[in-house]
Every structure is written in C-alpha cells, then in structure tokens.
Amino acid sequence: MAAPTISAAQAVGEYLQSPDDLLKIVAFRKKLEKEKSSIDARLKSGVKDQLDATRDGLRKLFGTRSNVQTIKDELETVDRLCSDPQNVVSTFDQISRVSMVHRNFVQTEEMVNNLLDMSSKLDMLEDMLARDSEDILGPAPNILRIHYQLNKLEAFRNQTIHQAKRSSADVRRTLTQWFDRLNKIISAFDEYVLAIAQNILPIVRAGYPDVIVKLMKIVEIEGREDEKAIAMKLVKKAAKLDVAAKFQSMQANARIIKHYRSKVQKCIIESIKEKFEAAYEREGRNPAAFLENSLWIYQDIMRIEEDVVPCFPPSYEIYNLYVREYHRALNDTITKIMADEPEASVLLTLHQWVKDYRKNMKDLNVPPELLEPPLLEGNEQSLIEDYLKLIIKKLDEWTANLMKTEVEAFTAREEPPEIDSDGLYGMQGAIILFQMVNQQVDLAMESNQGLILSRVIEEVNRVMRGVQDRWTKLVDTEYKKQIEKPEEAAGGLVEYCIALANDQIKSAEFAETLSGRVEPLVSDKYRATIHDRLNDAIDGCLDVAKKCTQTLIDIIFNDLKPATKQLFQPSWYEGIMLQIVETIRDYTTDFQAYLHQAMFDSLLEDLLDTFLVTYITALANAPKLKIPAAAQRIKEDITEAYKFFGTYKKTKELEPRFEVLEMILSLLEASKSLVFLSYWSFAKVHGPNVAFVEALMKARDDLDRSAHQNQPS
C-alpha cells in the first residue's frame, strides 16, 4: 500500500503544537534550509556524475563504431589490391608462381640451415639450463638468454610443423624426431620457470630479487605471445577462409598457448599450501607447537610487502594474492586441527591465538576483505563451549574410570587399605581426582578469562558432587549388606570406611587449597561463584566423611546389640557395662590409630551422644527397677563410661554431657516426698518429658501408683 500523503501544513503542525513552539520557528527554518542545501548539493553532484558517465559511454560507443568502420574499409582495400593485379596484369599468375617458388627456396634454405644449427644451439641451451637449475635459489644468470633462444627455436618449430601439414607421414615423423630434443628442453625450461615461481620468497630472501624481475619479463613476453595467438584464432574463426588463407602469419602460427601468468599464480598458491603443510608436519602435527611457532607467518607477510611486491607489475596485485592465500592456507590448517578433535589445552590456546592473529593483521594494515573466510567461521567463541564440553567429557570419563577402580576395591576389600605417610588409612581417589582437576584448572587459568575459570570450577563441583553421592549410597549399601547378610559381605568395612573418611578430608583440603589459589586471580564478578562452588564441594566431602564415621558408630552399636538388650534387665545387675565399654574401646583404639584426628574427634562426639541415647532409651523401656540396687548399678555404669570417655576428652567437656544421667539418677534416688525437687531440676534443663519421667517412676519398685500420680506436670 502507498504511504498516506502528508501536506505541508500537517508537517509544520507536527513541529508547532504549542504557542511556545513559535519561538523555535527561526531555528526550524535554518534547519530546513540547511537540509535543503545538503540535498540540493547531493542531487547536483549525482546528476553531474550521471551525465559524465553517460557522456563517456556515448564517446566510447562512437569511437568503437568508427574503429569498426575503419577496419572494414581497410579489409576491403586489401581485398581489392589483392584481386586487381589478376584483372590488369595478364602474366600475374606466372609472376605469382615464380615469386612463390623463390620464396619457398629461400624458406627451404633457411629451414635446412636452422635444422643444422639447432643441435649446437640446443647443446648450449642444455648446458646453461643445467647450470641455472643446479641452485633453484641462485642468481639464474642465463634465464633470459635461454628464453630468448628457445622462443626463436620454438617459432621455427611451429612454422616448420605448420608447413609440413600437407607433407607425407614420413616427413612429418622425421620432423617430429628432429624437434623431439627441443620439445624436451622447452618442457625442462617450463619446469624451471615454475620451480622459480614456487620459490619466490626464498629466492628474494637469498638476495636475488632480480631473478623474480626476470621471471616477470618472461611471463609478460609469453603472455603477449599468447594474446597474439588467441587473436589470430579469433580472426580465423570470424573471417572468410579464402581471405584468412592469404595471411602467411595465420597459416604459420601453430603456437601452443602457455598461460604462464595463471600457472605462476597457481604455483604461488601451491607453494603457500605446501609451506603450511610442511610447518604443521615439522611440528609433529602438534597444534600447540604449530601455533606457538607461527611468527613466520607475519614475517613472511612483511617481507612480501617490502621485497616481493616491487618485483611484480601492479596489475598482478601480488600482495593481495599472497595475503589471501596465506589466510586461506591458515584457515585450512586450523580446520584440520579442529577435525582432529584436539585436547582442551589446544582449544584454549587456539582461542587466544585467533584473537591475537586478528589484532596482528590489523597492526600490519591488512585489509579485512583479504581475510576471508574468517578463521573458525568468525565464531571463535564456540571454542570456549567446545573446550567446556571436552572438559565435561574428560572429567566424566576420568572420574568414571577412577570410581570404577575405587568402588571395586571398596566392595571387594580383598586387601587392607593403603597406609599413607602419616600412618593413616587412605585411598588414591582424592590424589588422582585433584591431579585431574588441577590440570584442567591450570589450563583455564592460562586463558586469563574469569568466565572460563568459573565454568571449569562449576564442572569440578558437579563432578565432585557426583562422586560424593555415589560414595554415600555405596556406604549405605555395604553397611546394609553387612547387617542383613553378614555371611555374604566381605570383611574390612570398618577399615575401608576409615580410609574413605580420610580420603574425603584430603579432598576437602585440596579443594580449600584450590580455592585459595584461584580466587585472587579473578574479578569480583566470578570470585563469588568460584568460592560458593568450591565451598559446596568441601561441604560435600565433609558430609561423606561424616557418613563414614556415623557408619562406624552404627557398626559398633550393631555389635553391641546383645549387650545393650540386657541393659536394665535382671542380668544387668550383675554388671554388663564393662563389656560394652571394652568393646567400644577396641574399636576406638583402631579409630584413633588410623583415622584423621579431626574426624576422630567428631566421631567421639557422636559416639558419646549415641551411647547416652542408647542407655537412656533402654532405661525408658526398663520393665522394673530395683531400688536402690538399680541406682547403685547406674552409678557404676556412669563411672565406667566416664572413665572410658575420659581417656579421650577432658572432664570439663564430659560433665555437661553426663549431667543428664546424673539428673536421672537423682530422680531414681529421691524419696517419695522429695522426688518433685529432682524433677524440677531435670525439667528446667531438659524440658518436662512427662512420658519419660512417668515411665521412670512407674519402673521404680519403691513407689506405688499413687505416688507418681502426684508428680507435677
């Protein structure tokens, strides 16, 4: 649809919508006048350019028409001059035949002499070509002379072969044999010229730029000869055969088109490709080494601009050719590197190298249009994603292999755990895992990009969390197997739980060290993420270690079930606490010898809590307590337990923990009339716990139902 037409009044109304806008009329008018002047100037310039282009086109068109008419007139004049003598001179045919015979005699004599001299000339040319070819990077002193002589001999060959077209097969075969040696030398010279074209930069570096100038002279000469030959062929196609037959040059021209210019350009392109391939192979197809030692690319480009460009005619645009082909060869090499699925370190190196390459080429004032296609299709940021995908893949593979070995050892338990330099049980998991982690983190740090480092740490957290979850489930599974089917379970679960706890503490220490090493290197933007992820991984390590120590406690009290079931039963009065304490002591002695001290201290805390809970739970479920014998036995139990835990903990740490047993004992020892005082002290610290106290009072055989019914609630 056509846009609606806006009148001048409407356009002005857009700007003058309030009385105050009238003050802006002068400025608005100046703005419009300025825009009008600018548009008028552009229109005037555009019209002038268009008129000039039209005028120039018409001038060329008229000139072309005039040239065509002139050529036509000249050809008609030539045709008339050729045909007139036949009509005017009666003996013209005889004169023409005599002239032709004479000319044939002269040409035959010249041909014979040339054939006789050709052998000695070829000897000389072979010798000069051999000497020049010995050193392809040499001064090539004879190259122009060789080319000149070969050009003459080649023209002679072409004319001779053309004239012999109507001769017998034997004559043509004999001539071919005579010229066979010349053909070989011409081929050898062509190869020599193209070899020079493949070594332009090395020749210039060797100090012989004049060789390239000579090469260009030869290429230009051959190019002009090619143009003549092509023009002749076009004329022969366009003109009538009888007219074309009158031109001896057309008959004699049998030149083979050489296309030296395009061949030289192809050689240059091929030499650049070979140079890049050789450089890659020289580094053992090692991408990192290739990129690290790539300074020669920039050195070549600078040398080309300074020393090679002056040797070529401007029409060759040789600098553009070299830079474009260097870039394409480089792009092909990088594509090859990416196709080989390089290591993560190579991806990071390549990412930085591409950025540096773009900057360096800009510093060399290389036009952007010569750097097509862009390296990595202009999407070098995808290298970061490829790098992270590779990191994820590698970390997952390495972790899977590591866990397979560690889990097999943990479940089979055929050998006791390793003992580390501190005399503690240990495993290799933490050391191997953090060797892999530190390797990847170091690579990420070399990129000098906080984003990459942050993403790598996130992946490290993910991997460590996965390992921790698997260990937690495995410990549960192995403990359950030992409890439910002890005959099928392998021995040594205690030792391996100790080793795993120590290994997790070691992982936490490694993660803390890593955090201290990495965080100062990044900005605040990424520091918080790195800190949180590593702290989360550390917490996970401590959770697994805690799971192991809790499993150790569960194992102890599973072994103590026969003894703890007797608590507050008739056999308890004879003394069972010593057996319980000694069993715990046997375990804790091993724990203290082989478990990390921090985890052993934590285990003792949980062990004490579990002991107290188990003891109080048994007391709450006691059927009947013989008072005062039960109170006396509880005192002795407290003494035994206190003595045992006192070997590991200070008295001031134990007293608050055993206070609950002392208060319970006070409830049992209190008289009917004063028991409420003991309860009051208990309730202030531990809450009412009416059900527990009621069960306790009910179990006392020295109180009747009415007594404990009067207990305060």
Side-chain angles (χ1 to χ4, degrees), residues 245-316:
K246 297 173 184 177
F247 293 94
Q248 185 65 29
S249 58
M250 289 186 179
Q251 296 174 358
N253 193 287
R255 175 181 171 82
I256 299 172
I257 308 300
K258 294 188 176 180
H259 302 293
Y260 261 18
R261 178 166 176 166
S262 63
K263 287 180 180 178
V264 166
Q265 289 177 335
K266 287 179 182 178
C267 286
I268 292 173
I269 294 171
E270 198 62 35
S271 68
I272 293 171
K273 290 180 180 178
E274 290 175 0
K275 185 166 190 175
F276 273 83
E277 290 173 1
Y280 192 42
E281 293 295 334
R282 186 169 59 249
E283 301 297 345
R285 301 182 69 81
N286 182 340
F290 172 78
L291 296 173
E292 183 180 354
N293 299 319
S294 59
L295 184 62
W296 59 269
I297 297 174
Y298 310 113
Q299 292 173 339
D300 282 5
I301 290 174
M302 288 188 289
R303 193 62 180 264
I304 289 164
E305 185 176 19
E306 293 172 4
D307 297 334
V308 175
V309 171
C311 300
F312 281 77
S315 62
Y316 278 66

Coordinates of all heavy atoms in Angstrom, one line a residue, residues 245-316:
A245 N 43.3 -17.2 -45.7 CA 44.3 -18.0 -46.3 C 45.4 -17.2 -46.9 O 46.5 -17.6 -47.1 CB 43.8 -18.9 -47.3
K246 N 45.1 -15.9 -47.1 CA 46.1 -15.0 -47.8 C 47.1 -14.5 -46.8 O 48.1 -13.8 -47.2 CB 45.4 -13.9 -48.4 CG 44.5 -14.3 -49.6 CD 43.7 -13.2 -50.1 CE 42.7 -13.7 -51.2 NZ 41.8 -12.7 -51.7
F247 N 46.9 -14.7 -45.5 CA 47.8 -14.2 -44.4 C 48.8 -15.3 -44.0 O 48.3 -16.3 -43.4 CB 47.1 -13.7 -43.2 CG 46.3 -12.4 -43.5 CD1 44.9 -12.5 -43.9 CD2 46.9 -11.2 -43.5 CE1 44.2 -11.4 -44.2 CE2 46.1 -10.0 -43.8 CZ 44.8 -10.2 -44.1
Q248 N 50.0 -15.2 -44.5 CA 51.0 -16.2 -44.2 C 51.2 -16.4 -42.6 O 51.4 -17.5 -42.2 CB 52.4 -15.9 -44.8 CG 53.5 -17.0 -44.6 CD 53.1 -18.2 -45.4 OE1 52.4 -18.2 -46.4 NE2 53.5 -19.4 -44.9
S249 N 51.1 -15.3 -41.9 CA 51.3 -15.4 -40.5 C 50.2 -16.3 -39.8 O 50.4 -17.0 -38.9 CB 51.2 -14.0 -39.8 OG 50.0 -13.4 -40.1
M250 N 49.0 -16.2 -40.4 CA 47.9 -17.0 -39.9 C 48.2 -18.5 -40.2 O 47.9 -19.4 -39.4 CB 46.6 -16.6 -40.5 CG 46.0 -15.3 -40.1 SD 44.4 -15.0 -40.7 CE 44.0 -13.4 -40.0
Q251 N 48.7 -18.8 -41.4 CA 49.0 -20.2 -41.7 C 50.1 -20.7 -40.9 O 50.1 -21.9 -40.4 CB 49.4 -20.2 -43.2 CG 48.3 -19.8 -44.2 CD 48.8 -19.8 -45.6 OE1 50.0 -20.0 -45.8 NE2 47.9 -19.5 -46.5
A252 N 51.1 -19.9 -40.6 CA 52.3 -20.4 -39.9 C 52.1 -20.5 -38.4 O 52.9 -21.1 -37.7 CB 53.5 -19.5 -40.2
N253 N 51.1 -19.8 -37.9 CA 51.1 -19.7 -36.4 C 50.4 -21.0 -35.9 O 49.3 -21.2 -36.1 CB 50.2 -18.5 -36.0 CG 50.4 -18.3 -34.5 OD1 49.9 -19.0 -33.7 ND2 51.1 -17.2 -34.2
A254 N 51.3 -21.8 -35.2 CA 50.8 -23.0 -34.6 C 51.2 -23.1 -33.1 O 51.5 -24.1 -32.6 CB 51.4 -24.3 -35.4
R255 N 51.2 -21.9 -32.5 CA 51.7 -21.8 -31.2 C 50.8 -22.5 -30.2 O 49.6 -22.5 -30.3 CB 51.8 -20.3 -30.8 CG 52.2 -20.1 -29.3 CD 52.3 -18.6 -29.0 NE 52.4 -18.3 -27.6 CZ 53.6 -18.4 -26.9 NH1 54.7 -18.7 -27.6 NH2 53.7 -18.2 -25.6
I256 N 51.4 -23.1 -29.2 CA 50.7 -23.8 -28.1 C 50.6 -22.7 -27.0 O 51.6 -22.1 -26.5 CB 51.5 -25.0 -27.5 CG1 51.6 -26.0 -28.6 CG2 50.7 -25.5 -26.3 CD1 52.5 -27.2 -28.2
I257 N 49.3 -22.4 -26.6 CA 49.1 -21.4 -25.5 C 49.7 -21.9 -24.2 O 49.4 -23.0 -23.7 CB 47.6 -21.1 -25.4 CG1 46.9 -20.8 -26.7 CG2 47.4 -20.0 -24.4 CD1 47.5 -19.6 -27.4
K258 N 50.5 -21.0 -23.6 CA 51.3 -21.5 -22.4 C 50.6 -21.0 -21.0 O 50.9 -21.7 -20.0 CB 52.7 -20.9 -22.4 CG 53.5 -21.5 -23.6 CD 54.9 -21.1 -23.5 CE 55.7 -21.8 -24.6 NZ 57.2 -21.5 -24.6
H259 N 49.9 -19.9 -21.0 CA 49.2 -19.5 -19.8 C 50.2 -19.3 -18.6 O 49.9 -19.8 -17.5 CB 48.1 -20.4 -19.4 CG 47.0 -20.6 -20.5 ND1 46.2 -19.6 -20.9 CD2 46.7 -21.7 -21.2 CE1 45.4 -20.1 -21.8 NE2 45.7 -21.3 -22.0
Y260 N 51.4 -18.7 -18.9 CA 52.4 -18.6 -17.9 C 51.9 -17.9 -16.6 O 52.1 -18.2 -15.5 CB 53.6 -17.9 -18.4 CG 54.7 -18.8 -18.8 CD1 54.5 -20.2 -19.0 CD2 56.0 -18.3 -19.0 CE1 55.5 -21.0 -19.4 CE2 57.1 -19.2 -19.3 CZ 56.8 -20.5 -19.6 OH 57.8 -21.3 -19.9
R261 N 51.1 -16.8 -16.9 CA 50.7 -16.0 -15.7 C 49.8 -16.8 -14.8 O 50.0 -16.8 -13.5 CB 49.9 -14.8 -16.2 CG 49.3 -13.9 -15.1 CD 48.9 -12.5 -15.6 NE 48.3 -11.7 -14.6 CZ 48.0 -10.4 -14.7 NH1 48.3 -9.8 -15.8 NH2 47.5 -9.8 -13.7
S262 N 48.8 -17.5 -15.3 CA 47.9 -18.3 -14.4 C 48.7 -19.4 -13.8 O 48.5 -19.8 -12.6 CB 46.8 -18.8 -15.2 OG 47.2 -19.7 -16.2
K263 N 49.7 -20.0 -14.5 CA 50.5 -21.1 -13.9 C 51.4 -20.6 -12.8 O 51.5 -21.2 -11.8 CB 51.3 -21.7 -15.0 CG 50.6 -22.6 -16.0 CD 51.5 -23.2 -17.0 CE 50.7 -24.1 -18.0 NZ 51.6 -24.6 -19.1
V264 N 51.9 -19.4 -13.0 CA 52.8 -18.8 -11.9 C 51.9 -18.5 -10.7 O 52.3 -18.8 -9.5 CB 53.4 -17.5 -12.4 CG1 54.0 -16.7 -11.2 CG2 54.5 -17.8 -13.4
Q265 N 50.7 -18.0 -10.9 CA 49.8 -17.8 -9.7 C 49.4 -19.1 -9.0 O 49.4 -19.2 -7.8 CB 48.6 -17.0 -10.2 CG 48.8 -15.6 -10.6 CD 47.6 -14.9 -11.1 OE1 46.7 -15.5 -11.6 NE2 47.6 -13.6 -11.0
K266 N 49.2 -20.1 -9.8 CA 48.9 -21.4 -9.2 C 50.1 -22.0 -8.4 O 49.9 -22.6 -7.4 CB 48.5 -22.4 -10.3 CG 47.1 -22.2 -10.9 CD 46.8 -23.2 -12.0 CE 45.4 -22.9 -12.6 NZ 45.1 -23.8 -13.7
C267 N 51.3 -21.8 -9.0 CA 52.5 -22.2 -8.3 C 52.6 -21.5 -6.9 O 53.0 -22.1 -5.9 CB 53.7 -22.0 -9.1 SG 53.9 -23.2 -10.5
I268 N 52.4 -20.2 -7.0 CA 52.4 -19.4 -5.7 C 51.5 -20.0 -4.7 O 51.8 -20.2 -3.5 CB 52.2 -17.9 -6.0 CG1 53.3 -17.3 -6.8 CG2 52.0 -17.1 -4.7 CD1 53.1 -15.9 -7.3
I269 N 50.2 -20.2 -5.1 CA 49.2 -20.7 -4.2 C 49.6 -22.1 -3.7 O 49.5 -22.4 -2.5 CB 47.8 -20.8 -5.0 CG1 47.4 -19.4 -5.3 CG2 46.8 -21.5 -4.1 CD1 46.1 -19.3 -6.2
E270 N 50.1 -22.9 -4.6 CA 50.5 -24.3 -4.2 C 51.7 -24.2 -3.2 O 51.7 -25.0 -2.3 CB 50.9 -25.1 -5.5 CG 50.9 -26.6 -5.2 CD 49.5 -27.1 -4.9 OE1 48.5 -26.6 -5.4 OE2 49.5 -28.1 -4.0
S271 N 52.6 -23.3 -3.5 CA 53.8 -23.2 -2.6 C 53.4 -22.8 -1.2 O 53.9 -23.2 -0.2 CB 54.8 -22.3 -3.2 OG 54.3 -20.9 -3.1
I272 N 52.3 -21.9 -1.1 CA 51.9 -21.5 0.2 C 51.2 -22.6 1.0 O 51.4 -22.8 2.1 CB 50.9 -20.3 0.0 CG1 51.6 -19.1 -0.5 CG2 50.2 -19.9 1.3 CD1 50.7 -17.9 -0.9
K273 N 50.4 -23.4 0.2 CA 49.7 -24.5 0.9 C 50.8 -25.5 1.4 O 50.7 -26.0 2.5 CB 48.8 -25.2 -0.1 CG 47.6 -24.4 -0.5 CD 46.7 -25.2 -1.5 CE 45.4 -24.4 -1.8 NZ 44.6 -25.1 -2.8
E274 N 51.8 -25.8 0.5 CA 52.9 -26.7 0.9 C 53.6 -26.2 2.1 O 54.1 -27.0 3.0 CB 53.8 -27.0 -0.3 CG 53.1 -27.8 -1.4 CD 54.0 -27.9 -2.6 OE1 55.2 -27.4 -2.6 OE2 53.6 -28.5 -3.6
K275 N 53.8 -24.9 2.2 CA 54.6 -24.3 3.3 C 53.9 -24.5 4.6 O 54.5 -24.9 5.6 CB 54.8 -22.8 3.0 CG 55.7 -22.2 4.1 CD 56.2 -20.8 3.6 CE 57.3 -20.3 4.6 NZ 57.8 -19.0 4.1
F276 N 52.5 -24.3 4.6 CA 51.8 -24.5 5.8 C 51.7 -26.0 6.2 O 51.8 -26.3 7.4 CB 50.3 -24.0 5.6 CG 50.2 -22.5 5.9 CD1 50.6 -21.6 5.0 CD2 49.8 -22.1 7.2 CE1 50.5 -20.2 5.3 CE2 49.7 -20.8 7.5 CZ 50.0 -19.8 6.6
E277 N 51.6 -26.9 5.2 CA 51.6 -28.3 5.5 C 52.9 -28.8 6.1 O 53.0 -29.5 7.0 CB 51.2 -29.1 4.2 CG 49.8 -28.9 3.8 CD 49.5 -29.6 2.4 OE1 50.5 -30.2 1.9 OE2 48.4 -29.5 1.9
A278 N 54.0 -28.2 5.5 CA 55.3 -28.6 6.0 C 55.5 -28.1 7.4 O 56.1 -28.8 8.2 CB 56.4 -28.0 5.0
A279 N 55.1 -26.9 7.7 CA 55.2 -26.3 9.0 C 54.5 -27.1 10.0 O 55.0 -27.4 11.1 CB 54.7 -24.9 9.0
Y280 N 53.3 -27.6 9.7 CA 52.5 -28.4 10.6 C 53.1 -29.8 10.8 O 53.2 -30.3 11.9 CB 51.1 -28.6 10.0 CG 50.1 -29.2 11.0 CD1 50.0 -28.8 12.3 CD2 49.1 -30.2 10.5 CE1 49.1 -29.3 13.2 CE2 48.2 -30.7 11.4 CZ 48.2 -30.3 12.7 OH 47.3 -30.8 13.6
E281 N 53.7 -30.4 9.7 CA 54.4 -31.7 9.8 C 55.7 -31.5 10.6 O 56.0 -32.4 11.4 CB 54.6 -32.2 8.4 CG 53.4 -32.6 7.7 CD 52.7 -33.8 8.3 OE1 53.3 -34.6 9.0 OE2 51.5 -33.9 8.1
R282 N 56.3 -30.4 10.4 CA 57.6 -30.1 11.1 C 57.4 -30.1 12.6 O 58.3 -30.5 13.4 CB 58.2 -28.8 10.6 CG 59.6 -28.5 11.2 CD 60.2 -27.4 10.5 NE 59.5 -26.1 10.6 CZ 58.9 -25.5 9.6 NH1 58.9 -26.0 8.4 NH2 58.2 -24.4 9.8
E283 N 56.2 -29.7 13.1 CA 56.0 -29.7 14.5 C 55.3 -31.0 15.0 O 54.8 -31.0 16.1 CB 55.0 -28.5 14.8 CG 55.5 -27.1 14.4 CD 56.7 -26.7 15.2 OE1 57.1 -27.4 16.2 OE2 57.4 -25.7 14.8
G284 N 55.4 -32.0 14.1 CA 54.9 -33.3 14.5 C 53.4 -33.3 14.6 O 52.8 -34.1 15.4
R285 N 52.7 -32.5 13.8 CA 51.3 -32.3 13.8 C 50.8 -32.0 15.2 O 49.7 -32.4 15.6 CB 50.6 -33.6 13.3 CG 51.0 -34.0 11.8 CD 50.3 -35.2 11.4 NE 48.8 -34.9 11.2 CZ 48.3 -34.3 10.1 NH1 49.1 -33.9 9.1 NH2 47.0 -34.1 10.0
N286 N 51.6 -31.3 15.9 CA 51.3 -30.8 17.3 C 50.7 -29.4 17.1 O 51.4 -28.4 16.9 CB 52.5 -30.8 18.1 CG 52.2 -30.3 19.6 OD1 51.2 -29.7 19.8 ND2 53.1 -30.7 20.5
P287 N 49.4 -29.3 17.3 CA 48.7 -28.0 17.1 C 49.3 -26.9 18.0 O 49.5 -25.7 17.6 CB 47.2 -28.2 17.5 CG 47.1 -29.7 17.3 CD 48.4 -30.3 17.7
A288 N 49.6 -27.2 19.3 CA 50.1 -26.2 20.2 C 51.4 -25.7 19.7 O 51.7 -24.5 19.7 CB 50.2 -26.7 21.6
A289 N 52.3 -26.6 19.3 CA 53.6 -26.2 18.8 C 53.5 -25.4 17.5 O 54.3 -24.4 17.3 CB 54.5 -27.4 18.6
F290 N 52.6 -25.8 16.6 CA 52.4 -25.0 15.4 C 52.0 -23.6 15.7 O 52.6 -22.7 15.1 CB 51.4 -25.8 14.5 CG 51.0 -25.0 13.3 CD1 51.8 -24.9 12.2 CD2 49.8 -24.2 13.3 CE1 51.4 -24.2 11.1 CE2 49.4 -23.5 12.2 CZ 50.2 -23.5 11.1
L291 N 51.1 -23.4 16.6 CA 50.6 -22.1 16.9 C 51.7 -21.3 17.6 O 51.8 -20.1 17.4 CB 49.3 -22.2 17.7 CG 48.1 -22.8 17.1 CD1 47.0 -23.0 18.1 CD2 47.6 -22.0 15.9
E292 N 52.4 -21.9 18.5 CA 53.4 -21.2 19.2 C 54.5 -20.7 18.3 O 55.1 -19.6 18.6 CB 54.0 -22.1 20.3 CG 55.0 -21.5 21.2 CD 55.5 -22.4 22.3 OE1 55.0 -23.6 22.4 OE2 56.5 -22.0 23.0
N293 N 54.8 -21.5 17.3 CA 56.0 -21.1 16.4 C 55.5 -20.6 15.1 O 56.0 -20.9 14.0 CB 56.8 -22.4 16.2 CG 57.4 -22.9 17.4 OD1 57.9 -22.2 18.3 ND2 57.4 -24.2 17.6
S294 N 54.4 -19.8 15.1 CA 53.8 -19.3 13.9 C 54.2 -17.8 13.6 O 53.6 -17.2 12.7 CB 52.3 -19.3 14.0 OG 51.8 -18.5 15.1
L295 N 55.2 -17.3 14.2 CA 55.7 -16.0 14.0 C 56.1 -15.8 12.5 O 56.0 -14.7 12.0 CB 56.9 -15.6 14.9 CG 57.4 -14.2 14.8 CD1 56.3 -13.2 15.2 CD2 58.6 -14.0 15.7
W296 N 56.5 -16.9 11.9 CA 57.0 -16.8 10.5 C 55.9 -16.3 9.5 O 56.2 -15.7 8.5 CB 57.5 -18.1 10.0 CG 56.5 -19.2 10.1 CD1 56.3 -20.1 11.1 CD2 55.6 -19.6 9.0 NE1 55.3 -21.0 10.8 CE2 54.8 -20.7 9.5 CE3 55.3 -19.1 7.8 CZ2 53.8 -21.3 8.8 CZ3 54.3 -19.8 7.0 CH2 53.6 -20.9 7.5
I297 N 54.6 -16.5 9.9 CA 53.5 -16.0 9.0 C 53.6 -14.5 8.9 O 53.6 -13.9 7.8 CB 52.2 -16.4 9.6 CG1 52.1 -18.0 9.6 CG2 51.0 -15.8 8.8 CD1 50.8 -18.5 10.3
Y298 N 53.7 -13.8 10.0 CA 53.8 -12.3 10.0 C 55.1 -11.9 9.3 O 55.1 -10.9 8.6 CB 53.7 -11.8 11.4 CG 52.5 -12.4 12.1 CD1 52.7 -13.2 13.3 CD2 51.2 -12.1 11.7 CE1 51.6 -13.7 13.9 CE2 50.1 -12.6 12.4 CZ 50.3 -13.4 13.5 OH 49.2 -14.0 14.2
Q299 N 56.2 -12.6 9.6 CA 57.5 -12.2 9.0 C 57.4 -12.3 7.5 O 57.9 -11.5 6.7 CB 58.6 -13.1 9.6 CG 58.9 -12.8 11.0 CD 59.8 -13.9 11.6 OE1 60.0 -15.0 11.1 NE2 60.5 -13.5 12.7
D300 N 56.8 -13.4 7.0 CA 56.6 -13.6 5.5 C 55.8 -12.4 4.9 O 56.2 -11.9 3.9 CB 55.9 -14.9 5.3 CG 56.9 -16.1 5.4 OD1 58.0 -15.9 5.8 OD2 56.5 -17.2 5.1
I301 N 54.7 -12.1 5.6 CA 53.8 -11.0 5.0 C 54.6 -9.7 4.9 O 54.5 -9.0 3.9 CB 52.6 -10.9 5.9 CG1 51.7 -12.1 5.7 CG2 51.8 -9.6 5.5 CD1 50.5 -12.2 6.5
M302 N 55.4 -9.4 6.0 CA 56.1 -8.1 5.9 C 57.2 -8.2 4.9 O 57.4 -7.2 4.1 CB 56.8 -7.9 7.3 CG 55.8 -7.5 8.4 SD 56.5 -7.0 10.0 CE 57.1 -8.6 10.6
R303 N 57.8 -9.3 4.7 CA 58.9 -9.5 3.7 C 58.3 -9.4 2.3 O 58.9 -8.8 1.3 CB 59.6 -10.8 3.8 CG 60.9 -10.9 3.0 CD 61.9 -9.8 3.5 NE 63.1 -9.8 2.8 CZ 64.2 -10.5 3.2 NH1 64.2 -11.1 4.3 NH2 65.3 -10.5 2.5
I304 N 57.1 -9.9 2.1 CA 56.4 -9.9 0.8 C 56.1 -8.4 0.4 O 56.4 -8.0 -0.7 CB 55.1 -10.7 0.8 CG1 55.5 -12.2 0.9 CG2 54.2 -10.4 -0.4 CD1 54.4 -13.1 1.3
E305 N 55.6 -7.7 1.4 CA 55.2 -6.3 1.1 C 56.5 -5.5 0.8 O 56.4 -4.6 -0.1 CB 54.5 -5.7 2.3 CG 54.0 -4.3 2.1 CD 53.2 -3.8 3.3 OE1 53.4 -4.4 4.4 OE2 52.5 -2.8 3.1
E306 N 57.6 -5.7 1.5 CA 58.8 -4.9 1.3 C 59.6 -5.3 0.0 O 60.0 -4.4 -0.7 CB 59.7 -5.1 2.5 CG 59.1 -4.4 3.8 CD 59.9 -4.7 5.0 OE1 61.0 -5.4 4.9 OE2 59.5 -4.4 6.1
D307 N 59.7 -6.6 -0.2 CA 60.7 -7.1 -1.2 C 60.1 -7.8 -2.4 O 60.7 -7.8 -3.5 CB 61.8 -8.0 -0.6 CG 62.6 -7.2 0.5 OD1 62.7 -6.0 0.4 OD2 63.1 -7.9 1.4
V308 N 59.0 -8.4 -2.2 CA 58.4 -9.2 -3.4 C 57.5 -8.3 -4.2 O 57.6 -8.4 -5.5 CB 57.6 -10.4 -2.8 CG1 56.9 -11.1 -4.0 CG2 58.5 -11.4 -2.1
V309 N 56.7 -7.5 -3.6 CA 55.7 -6.6 -4.3 C 56.4 -5.8 -5.4 O 56.0 -5.7 -6.5 CB 54.9 -5.8 -3.4 CG1 54.1 -4.7 -4.1 CG2 54.0 -6.6 -2.5
P310 N 57.6 -5.2 -5.1 CA 58.3 -4.3 -6.2 C 58.7 -5.1 -7.4 O 59.0 -4.5 -8.4 CB 59.5 -3.8 -5.4 CG 59.1 -3.8 -4.0 CD 58.3 -5.0 -3.8
C311 N 58.8 -6.4 -7.3 CA 59.3 -7.3 -8.4 C 58.1 -7.6 -9.4 O 58.4 -8.1 -10.5 CB 59.8 -8.6 -7.9 SG 61.3 -8.4 -6.8
F312 N 56.9 -7.3 -9.0 CA 55.8 -7.7 -9.9 C 55.1 -6.4 -10.5 O 55.1 -5.4 -9.8 CB 54.7 -8.4 -9.0 CG 55.1 -9.9 -8.8 CD1 56.0 -10.2 -7.9 CD2 54.4 -10.9 -9.5 CE1 56.3 -11.6 -7.6 CE2 54.7 -12.2 -9.3 CZ 55.7 -12.5 -8.4
P313 N 54.5 -6.5 -11.6 CA 53.7 -5.4 -12.2 C 52.5 -5.2 -11.3 O 52.0 -6.1 -10.7 CB 53.3 -6.0 -13.5 CG 54.3 -7.0 -13.9 CD 54.7 -7.7 -12.6
P314 N 52.0 -4.0 -11.1 CA 50.9 -3.7 -10.3 C 49.7 -4.5 -10.6 O 48.9 -4.8 -9.7 CB 50.7 -2.2 -10.5 CG 52.0 -1.6 -11.0 CD 52.6 -2.7 -11.8
S315 N 49.5 -4.8 -11.9 CA 48.3 -5.5 -12.3 C 48.1 -6.9 -11.7 O 47.0 -7.4 -11.6 CB 48.2 -5.6 -13.8 OG 49.3 -6.4 -14.3
Y316 N 49.2 -7.4 -11.2 CA 49.2 -8.7 -10.6 C 48.6 -8.7 -9.2 O 48.1 -9.7 -8.7 CB 50.6 -9.3 -10.5 CG 51.1 -9.9 -11.7 CD1 51.3 -9.2 -12.9 CD2 51.3 -11.3 -11.8 CE1 51.8 -9.8 -14.0 CE2 51.8 -11.9 -13.0 CZ 52.0 -11.1 -14.1 OH 52.4 -11.7 -15.3

